[in-house]
Amino acid sequence: MLRVLAWWAALTAAWLLTTSTVDIAEFVAAAIAAVPCAVIVPFAGRALGGIEKPRVSWLRWFTHIPLAVTTETVRALRTRETGHFETLRLPADRVAARQAVATVAIGLSPGAMVADVPPGGRTVVVHRLLSGESAVLDRIRR
């Protein structure tokens, strides 16, 4: 029951973080919509045969995002590059969880987006708008 309650709170908070104004109507809508999703989580975990848990150390990937957003936005506004695809090879540790967290981290930077996550593999296909190094991608590779 605590797990369902925790998911309900997290999902309600996620909804409220994406709204422009938080009022009682938004809170009620968020709280109601989060209930079925939170109830389904334990069943989904069992159906998937258990869920790999991300490592706490992966949160360090997100520390590079504020600087990357600033620098990549400026570079993207000045470039005429059309971009390119790059296959990001991941370490073999907790591959599915690593792919999921990497997808979120990469999606937060304006210079790259995840184009594909091949099932059962250790890779993430990234479309990079900008050439050169990426602090976010470099941290994820490690």
Side-chain angles (χ1 to χ4, degrees), residues 10-97:
L11 293 166
T12 301
W15 177 307
L16 295 174
L17 286 171
T18 62
T19 61
S20 59
T21 58
V22 178
D23 56 20
I24 191 69
E26 283 292 338
F27 179 77
V28 170
I32 291 170
V35 170
C37 298
V39 169
I40 291 171
V41 168
F43 298 106
R46 277 185 237 126
L48 294 171
I51 299 172
E52 295 176 338
K53 292 185 175 35
R55 293 194 181 281
V56 174
S57 63
W58 296 347
L59 291 175
R60 284 183 279 171
W61 299 349
F62 294 89
T63 62
H64 295 278
I65 291 173
L67 181 61
V69 166
T70 305
T71 58
E72 291 178 10
T73 298
V74 170
R75 286 180 58 207
L77 292 172
R78 293 181 176 175
T79 190
R80 293 188 182 262
E81 293 181 53
T82 58
H84 63 279
F85 287 95
E86 180 178 316
T87 300
L88 183 66
R89 187 140 177 86
L90 304 172
D93 178 45
R94 301 181 189 193
V95 175

